[in-house]
């Protein structure tokens, strides 16, 4: 939950003053700032949406912890780079990198659902969601204060430091969730043919049975799945007392 708070705060402390950052620090004119702001803001989500299934597949094969470390380290690097860019084109490239580094929130959810006991999963996810909301509230306030006191670039460096802390926590304190073992299909049991004086029952795989009248046949026989159709057909056609199992 603490990681989620820091993650949300680090992100939202930068976004509110992005247009001002473009004009005051990167030299974008007032006429072009809308275009640049829209492109820089949206490119991260576009790439993140494309890469999300790929990162999810890798989380299943390589491990959820690795994906969390990847996302945290990539975001930390992108924030540090965002504090030293000098042109809008460079800032656009930084946001592209952020898109490839996306997936930290989904990794946190995946790890939580794998490690938390089922009876506590609901409340745990609720607390994480509350932490996300708390970070979204705190971030703009902290970012605005840092920008006023130390300049807007300071907010990028602080956000990068927060993501670095998150990455270190995942590396050294969060265990790797156990991988789910694939379910093995149970072998189909042989089909039991039970015969007595009055009836013959073929127990099918679905648990149902076919009953036929018989006269003087007794005993319990077992036929293989291969013989199932032939045995059933013979018993249905040759009625009482005329069918025998080898």
């Amino acid at each position: 939950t603490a990681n989620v708070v820091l993650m949300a705060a680090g992100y939202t402390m930068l976004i509110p003053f992005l247009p001002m950052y473009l004009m005051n620090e990167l030299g974008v004119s007032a006429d072009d700032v809308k275009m640049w702001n829209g492109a820089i803001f949206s490119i991260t989500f576009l790439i993140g949406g494309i890469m999300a299934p790929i990162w999810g597949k890798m989380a299943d094969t390589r491990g959820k912890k690795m994906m969390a470390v990847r996302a945290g380290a990539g975001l930390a690097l992108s924030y540090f780079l965002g504090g030293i860019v000098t042109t809008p084109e460079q800032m656009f490239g930084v946001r592209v990198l952020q898109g490839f580094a996306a997936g930290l929130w989904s990794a946190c959810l995946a790890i939580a659902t794998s490690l938390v006991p089922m009876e506590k999963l609901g409340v745990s996810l609720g607390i994480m969601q509350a932490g996300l909301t708390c970070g979204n509230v705190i971030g703009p306030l902290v970012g605005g204060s840092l920008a006023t006191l130390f300049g807007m670039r300071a907010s990028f460096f602080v956000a990068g430091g927060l993501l670095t802390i998150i990455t270190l926590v995942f590396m050294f304190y969060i265990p790797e969730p156990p991988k789910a073992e694939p379910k093995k299909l149970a072998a189909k049991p042989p089909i039991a043919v039970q015969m007595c004086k009055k009836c013959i029952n073929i127990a099918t795989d679905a648990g149902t049975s076919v009953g036929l009248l018989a006269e003087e046949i007794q005993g319990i026989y077992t036929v293989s799945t291969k013989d199932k159709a032939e045995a059933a057909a013979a018993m249905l056609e040759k009625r009482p007392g005329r069918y025998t199992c080898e």
Side-chain angles (χ1 to χ4, degrees):
T1 302
N3 280 353
V4 172
V5 174
L6 295 179
M7 175 194 68
Y11 179 75
T12 55
M13 71 169 54
L14 305 174
I15 296 303
F17 59 78
L18 181 59
M20 296 178 60
Y21 186 71
L22 291 171
M23 290 190 296
N24 298 342
E25 299 290 338
L26 304 185
V28 178
S29 65
D31 295 333
D32 297 333
V33 69
K34 295 179 181 179
M35 181 195 69
W36 276 110
N37 184 65
I40 289 174
F41 186 82
S42 61
I43 189 61
T44 297
F45 298 100
L46 174 62
I47 296 178
I50 295 173
M51 295 300 298
I54 300 175
W55 297 137
K57 179 64 176 178
M58 292 185 66
D60 293 334
T61 57
R62 303 289 182 87
K64 299 177 179 65
K65 179 178 178 178
M66 178 183 291
M67 289 300 102
V69 172
R70 171 204 60 80
L75 289 173
L77 177 61
S78 68
Y79 287 147
F80 283 125
L81 292 176
I84 63 175
V85 297
T86 56
T87 65
E89 292 81 5
Q90 292 176 351
M91 189 64 193
F92 184 84
V94 167
R95 293 286 292 176
V96 169
L97 175 59
Q98 285 187 14
F100 283 104
L104 184 57
W105 169 239
S106 57
C108 291
L109 287 177
I111 291 174
T113 54
S114 299
L115 295 179
V116 175
M118 287 300 298
E119 62 271 14
K120 297 181 179 179
L121 184 58
V123 66
S124 298
L125 295 180
I127 293 173
M128 288 183 63
Q129 186 64 46
L132 182 68
T133 304
C134 182
N136 290 334
V137 173
I138 295 174
L141 177 61
V142 175
S145 300
L146 290 173
T148 302
L149 296 175
F150 306 105
M152 286 181 282
R153 293 182 183 271
S155 298
F156 283 89
F157 297 132
V158 172
L162 294 178
L163 267 297
T164 301
I165 294 173
I166 292 174
T167 304
L168 294 176
V169 169
F170 273 113
M171 289 178 63
F172 297 109
Y173 292 100
I174 304 298
E176 175 66 47
K179 292 184 178 180
E181 296 182 359
K183 295 182 178 180
K184 296 182 179 179
L185 295 177
K188 290 185 177 180
I191 303 162
V193 180
Q194 183 176 1
M195 300 181 181
C196 64
K197 281 189 175 182
K198 296 298 182 182
C199 66
I200 302 174
N201 292 324
I202 301 179
T204 64
D205 294 333
T208 60
S209 62
V210 178
L212 299 174
L213 294 177
E215 291 181 352
E216 298 296 334
I217 304 175
Q218 296 183 5
I220 297 177
Y221 300 83
T222 299
V223 296
S224 65
T225 304
K226 180 180 179 181
D227 300 326
K228 171 185 175 182
E230 296 178 359
M235 294 176 69
L236 287 170
E237 291 176 359
K238 296 183 179 180
R239 284 295 174 179
R242 297 184 180 182
Y243 176 76
T244 58
C245 292
E246 297 296 332

